[in-house]
Amino acid sequence: MSEIHRITIDPEKCGGRPITRGLRIRVKDILDLLASGAPREEILQDYPMLEDGDITAALEYAAGQIDHPISPVV
């Protein structure tokens, strides 16, 4: 089941960048932690307000962002 509904964008929070459930934790922050090798369990311990579904939602959001067709520059 998709968790993308957890991602919100609010111009009043984090400069309008995508965040998790209205918290001030950006999708990028979660992705950076994962990219640095942090396991889900460690992220959830370090950020107790996060839920496992929030991490899944961040990954889903990122996957959706790179799935856009690219027009060649001429």
Side-chain angles (χ1 to χ4, degrees):
M1 180 172 192
S2 176
E3 297 288 352
I4 200 73
H5 64 277
R6 294 171 176 263
I7 304 301
T8 59
I9 297 175
D10 181 345
E12 300 297 318
K13 293 182 182 174
C14 296
R17 291 177 180 87
I19 56 177
T20 304
R21 290 183 297 118
L23 302 171
R24 293 184 186 273
I25 301 175
R26 300 176 303 166
V27 167
K28 181 187 182 331
D29 298 329
I30 296 170
L31 297 174
D32 285 343
L33 289 166
L34 291 168
S36 71
R40 283 178 180 247
E41 296 78 21
E42 182 179 319
I43 295 169
L44 294 172
Q45 285 177 348
D46 290 346
Y47 296 89
M49 68 289 292
L50 284 180
E51 299 171 358
D52 190 62
D54 298 330
I55 297 173
T56 300
L59 290 168
E60 281 185 61
Y61 183 85
Q65 293 302 301
I66 63 167
D67 194 29
H68 294 286
I70 299 173
S71 300
V73 177
V74 285

